[in-house]
Amino acid sequence: MTTTQGLDRDGCIAREGSLDRVPPAFAPVVAAARERIAAAFGPDRLHSAYLYGSVPRGTATPGVSDLDLLLALHHEPTAADRAGADALEAALDGEFAQVNGVGVVLAGTDTLLSELERHDLGWFVACLCTPLLGEDLAARLPRYRPTPLLARETNGDLALFLPRWRERLAAADTAADPEAELRRLARAVSRHLVRSCLTLVMPRWGGWTSDLAASAEVFAGYYPERAAQARLAVTVARTAATTADRAALTELVDDLGPWLAAEYAAVHGVKAPRP
């Protein structure tokens, strides 16, 4: 049983997503992904594969939603692994019109199970990923509660992203396809900010959700003065597949982002540095 706040009966964050929830329109994409991952990587390289995002949550919209995959490798990813993942992304995206982009994240199992990543990538696998192939790493990870530690380690590095976003926004007009670059940036920025809004207040609220609109409303209950910007971020995320509003994106990057990073650091501290 999962509560309305995304917890199980013991108060731990319930794993979201299931292969049973994959919308029928996306079933052929998932089947093809499973087959091609196994063929491209093989048991000597691949430990396990996972779906995450709207497809396994059952909320994906054909032609709008993307397909998100995590591949856990026996070793740390190499350039050859990345090239194989890029080819997989291009093949699936090109063949299936129901997906608007395919993203493949690669990680070594030692990293995913490490103490440093216990409350970031480990939590991601255990709570947000749906097993597709191989042994489920969640069995080797703890159960998670919506604690300040989890908040700090998931999004306590927001300040590091702001300069990169500003650089991409400034350079968008000189990209090969400026509109496409703005849409990609809008999607990344808006989703990241909404999830950071949610995790900022997650320990006080005492729950978890991946729903962007619900996340914004939970946040608004604690920071009503920033509610309009959180809702703006949701709107930008929802429309990024087809359009990008530069003015709205600028407001998120230059106003909501810096405030949120500072407030996050003050409330939860800064995420442990990565190598």
Side-chain angles (χ1 to χ4, degrees), residues 16-179:
E16 62 177 33
S18 165
L19 294 181
D20 292 339
R21 298 181 193 172
V22 172
F26 290 88
V29 194
V30 172
R34 180 191 287 111
E35 179 181 337
R36 294 178 191 186
I37 290 168
F41 286 85
D44 56 326
R45 297 162 70 194
L46 181 72
H47 174 278
S48 48
Y50 306 82
L51 293 172
Y52 65 95
S54 61
V55 171
R57 292 200 303 269
T59 60
T61 301
V64 175
S65 300
D66 53 2
L67 180 72
D68 296 309
L69 297 159
L70 167 68
L71 306 189
L73 306 179
H74 291 296
H75 53 263
E76 293 305 306
T78 65
D81 294 325
R82 186 64 259 170
D86 290 345
L88 177 65
E89 290 173 348
L92 291 173
D93 191 27
E95 184 172 339
F96 295 97
Q98 55 268 58
V99 294
N100 184 14
V102 177
V104 179
V105 174
L106 302 176
T109 55
D110 286 348
T111 295
L112 294 172
L113 296 173
S114 68
E115 187 62 32
L116 184 62
E117 293 294 345
R118 182 63 49 86
H119 289 85
D120 189 8
L121 290 178
W123 166 77
F124 174 70
V125 170
C127 295
L128 304 190
C129 286
T130 296
L132 183 65
L133 281 168
E135 175 201 354
D136 183 7
L137 287 173
R140 298 159 65 183
L141 290 162
R143 300 172 73 198
Y144 295 87
R145 298 179 185 274
T147 63
L149 173 61
L150 185 61
R152 187 189 77 204
E153 291 303 303
T154 50
N155 288 301
D157 58 349
L158 177 58
L160 300 179
F161 288 84
L162 299 176
R164 306 173 200 169
W165 291 344
R166 292 192 186 101
E167 289 173 5
R168 287 182 62 185
L169 183 57
D173 288 340
T174 61
D177 187 338
E179 179 63 23

Side-chain angles (χ1 to χ4, degrees), residues 5-8 10-14 119 123 127 143-152 198-209 268:
Q5 292 184 204
L7 306 180
D8 62 22
D10 296 322
C12 296
I13 297 175
H119 289 85
W123 166 77
C127 295
R143 300 172 73 198
Y144 295 87
R145 298 179 185 274
T147 63
L149 173 61
L150 185 61
R152 187 189 77 204
L198 186 277
T199 53
L200 171 63
V201 302
M202 175 181 67
R204 283 183 279 175
W205 179 52
W208 167 261
T209 179
H268 297 302

